[in-house]
Amino acid sequence: MSDIPALDPPRRTLMGPGPSGADPSVLAAMGLPILGHLDPEFMRIMDECQTMMRRVFRTANDVTLATPGTGTSGMEAAVMNLLQPGDRAIVGICGYFGERIAAMAARTGAEVTRVTAPWGSPIAPEDIERALRDGPARLVAIVHAETSTGVRQPVEPVARLAKEAGALLLLDCVTSLGGEPVDIDDWGVDAAYSGTQKCLSAPPGASPLTLSPAAWRAVQARETPANSWYLDLGLLEAYWDSRRAYHHTSPISMTYALHRALALVLEEGLEARWRRHERHGRALQRGLEAMGLALHADAAHRLSVLTTVRIPEGVEDAPVRGALLERFGIEIGGGLGDLRGRVWRIGLMGESSTPGNVLYFLASLGGLLREHGFAADTGAALDIASGGLNP
Ligand SMILES: *Cc1c(COP(=O)(O)O)cnc(C)c1O
């Protein structure tokens, strides 16, 4: 017997709000030889990542890079660089991640106007319009796929309003990129960031980020340096562009994983990938309803990649989630904030969005709910869901 611990993580079916499962080739990419962060071969790999990120974001933006760190690092880079003291920021808040953007924005010394909606609905564009009419704003920020509620935020009307008012639009695409339609240039989004472990299906650790020419000008025109040295976009861009100025040691293996994950997205094709997520997400949702459960998010604004379902009366959250994990190896998420104990969050992101996962989850959940006294109709759920899984 040794007192040196073994590293032996179990194999899980990851169906929570992230991380999602990763393709074996993405994990294998992390085992490739380490290069120096200024090695010409590594520079080529970074350039290829940049080109693939532009294609996945659907943008021609020069300033497109990956910040070192999880999705929150992209959020912090965008917020800290686009806002300075005295600016006004309008933040759409209808879930946990909108709150996080507002909390960051407040730390820049900007004046933050909170535009809210109930947790389960998107922000109404008219409410953003009203806030814009109240006075000039530097930035409007919204979350495209609110992972805490399962709601998809319509982007184009908000982008138009921001543009008319001379404000920049910041979009959180952490959960949507690679799973839900995202079209940065066509929609007129000025700044967007994502994360690797949701629908891009790589391990957590990098945040693809892109800035329009207008957003980049705003960053360059700052009177004071951004409130973060590590996430200073001027310094990061000087490393990612042809200057190759050392700023930090790139997370080399993570960059390989990002490269392989982006290549998989493009090999599948963005539109085919969106259709796959849509098909599996809708099949899951119809199956849950057929089982006798109620979905939480507004019917017209439901994501396909993340579903919130209400925990039925009389059933406790933790024992069911615990049994899913222990007995079936399935991870799902509990509710955040206001929805704690009230909903479960089921992700079908990237590699985790498969017909097998939909059926396996419904069968496992149905059985557990019956054990906990809820008369789940598992047969109906499986019938309905499997009918929706055919391409
Ligand atoms: C997961 C998530 C984040 C934060 O990403 P981390 O990788 O956890 O830092 C931000 N925004 C949304 C919408 C998310 O789902």
Side-chain angles (χ1 to χ4, degrees), residues 30 66-71 73 194-197 202-208 230 251 254-255 258:
M30 298 191 84
T67 57
T70 63
S73 74
S194 187
T196 42
Q197 80 275 22
S207 179
Y230 191 49
M254 192 60 226
T255 307
L258 175 63

Side-chain angles (χ1 to χ4, degrees), residues 17-18 69-75 96-98 100-101 143-148 172-176 193-198 204-207 345 349:
T70 63
T72 307
S73 74
M75 184 190 289
Y96 180 88
F97 291 102
R100 183 175 289 188
I101 296 176
V143 177
H144 186 209
E146 191 32 277
T147 321
S148 60
D172 177 313
C173 300
V174 175
T175 287
S176 53
Y193 55 86
S194 187
T196 42
Q197 80 275 22
K198 313 265 170 118
S207 179
R345 295 184 298 147
M349 301 181 186

Side-chain angles (χ1 to χ4, degrees), residues 59-386:
T59 183
N61 289 341
D62 273 342
V63 180
T64 301
L65 49 79
T67 57
T70 63
T72 307
S73 74
M75 184 190 289
E76 191 141 310
V79 171
M80 293 300 162
N81 285 270
L82 290 170
L83 290 174
Q84 49 185 339
D87 284 345
R88 177 165 173 255
I90 296 171
V91 182
I93 304 171
C94 53
Y96 180 88
F97 291 102
E99 283 287 0
R100 183 175 289 188
I101 296 176
M104 280 184 190
R107 290 190 183 203
T108 66
E111 176 207 333
V112 179
T113 301
R114 300 159 56 95
V115 174
T116 61
W119 285 38
S121 304
I123 304 293
E126 307 78 67
D127 292 342
I128 300 275
E129 190 171 20
R130 202 166 305 120
L132 283 165
R133 246 189 273 121
D134 283 347
R138 160 85 64 193
L139 189 71
V140 174
I142 50 174
V143 177
H144 186 209
E146 191 32 277
T147 321
S148 60
T149 63
V151 167
R152 183 199 285 141
Q153 172 71 45
V155 177
E156 286 179 273
V158 180
R160 262 195 304 277
L161 290 167
K163 190 168 204 82
E164 282 163 21
L168 298 168
L169 180 72
L170 171 62
L171 188 65
D172 177 313
C173 300
V174 175
T175 287
S176 53
L177 193 70
E180 303 272 345
V182 170
D183 207 330
I184 296 303
D185 286 0
D186 194 53
W187 290 350
V189 173
D190 290 293
Y193 55 86
S194 187
T196 42
Q197 80 275 22
K198 313 265 170 118
C199 292
L200 298 178
S201 264
S207 179
L209 176 145
T210 188
L211 293 185
S212 70
W216 181 231
R217 278 194 300 276
V219 170
Q220 290 179 304
R222 291 182 64 92
E223 283 149 25
T224 56
N227 267 344
S228 169
W229 191 91
Y230 191 49
L231 295 173
D232 182 313
L233 284 170
L235 300 175
L236 285 166
E237 172 62 10
Y239 175 46
W240 276 82
D241 73 17
S242 57
R243 288 170 286 172
R244 302 298 184 192
Y246 166 69
H247 167 257
H248 65 285
T249 306
S250 173
I252 305 292
S253 312
M254 192 60 226
T255 307
Y256 298 162
L258 175 63
H259 189 284
R260 182 63 196 137
L262 291 166
L264 282 172
V265 170
L266 294 171
E267 279 167 21
E268 181 174 3
L270 277 176
E271 278 160 19
R273 196 172 172 94
W274 299 339
R275 280 196 301 276
R276 168 166 66 88
H277 283 87
E278 176 80 14
R279 186 166 63 244
H280 299 163
R282 298 309 164 216
L284 170 72
Q285 290 164 5
R286 283 198 293 271
L288 289 166
E289 287 182 319
M291 187 178 282
L293 299 174
L295 302 177
H296 177 73
D298 287 357
H301 299 286
R302 275 179 200 146
L303 292 168
S304 62
V305 301
L306 191 285
T307 296
T308 43
V309 63
R310 297 208 179 112
I311 301 173
E313 202 75 42
V315 173
E316 268 185 276
D317 172 15
V320 174
R321 268 194 299 132
L324 274 171
L325 190 67
E326 279 156 35
R327 283 160 56 187
F328 300 102
I330 298 174
E331 177 181 276
I332 63 165
L336 280 180
D338 293 354
L339 298 177
R340 198 184 176 82
R342 292 174 51 207
V343 300
W344 286 312
R345 295 184 298 147
I346 306 141
L348 286 170
M349 301 181 186
E351 291 305 305
S352 289
S353 176
T354 65
N357 280 355
V358 171
L359 297 178
Y360 179 46
F361 169 71
L362 287 171
S364 307
L365 179 69
L368 285 173
L369 284 176
R370 293 187 80 86
E371 284 175 28
H372 285 80
F374 177 80
D377 191 341
T378 310
L382 294 175
D383 268 359
I384 294 284
S386 58

